[in-house]
């Protein structure tokens, strides 16, 4: 029996909750630098109003980053809440969902919905299982 997803979940409506949820999925052992790979106390959250929440600073390579670096959501101006809702809708549909339908359901223009719908097949195609059975993503 399948479990129903609560569409009133805050990850679909609140940006801070969606960001925290994505960080927990992306970094289960805590944040790490996507540029040099260091983690622990060498990666610190940036405070202040100018950067906003979710930004981190690596003390080794001195670069700033978010959890979205290296993901499908990098350099996207579309809110993470819309991305999560689009992901749920596309994965829950029995057949493939068109960009027109996605745009109608999310209240987005066609070009934006097309942009959101097309990274998923490319992103899924690059995931390959290792000999150990773990999945890795080819670049």
């Amino acid at each position: 029996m399948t479990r129903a997803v609560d569409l009133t979940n805050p990850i679909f409506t609140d940006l801070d909750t969606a960001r925290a949820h994505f960080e927990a999925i992306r970094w289960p052992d805590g944040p790490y630098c996507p540029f040099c790979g260091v983690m622990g106390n060498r990666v610190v959250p940036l405070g202040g109003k100018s950067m906003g929440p979710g930004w981190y600073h690596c003390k080794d390579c001195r670069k700033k980053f978010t959890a979205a670096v290296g993901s499908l959501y990098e350099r996207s101006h579309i809110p993470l809440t819309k991305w999560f809702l689009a992901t749920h809708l596309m994965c829950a549909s029995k057949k493939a969902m068109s960009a027109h339908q996605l745009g109608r359901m999310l209240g987005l223009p066609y070009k934006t919905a097309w942009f959101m719908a097309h990274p998923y097949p490319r992103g899924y195609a690059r995931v390959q299982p290792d000999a150990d059975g773990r999945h890795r993503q080819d670049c």
Side-chain angles (χ1 to χ4, degrees), residues 85-98:
L85 192 52
T87 302
H88 169 70
L89 292 172
M90 291 176 62
C91 292
S93 67
K94 282 189 166 187
K95 297 181 180 180
M97 183 177 287
S98 71

Side-chain angles (χ1 to χ4, degrees), residues 78 99-100 102-104 106-116:
I78 302 165
H100 283 290
L102 187 64
R104 281 193 301 268
L106 296 178
L108 297 171
Y110 170 72
K111 285 186 177 183
T112 305
W114 185 91
F115 172 76
M116 292 176 79

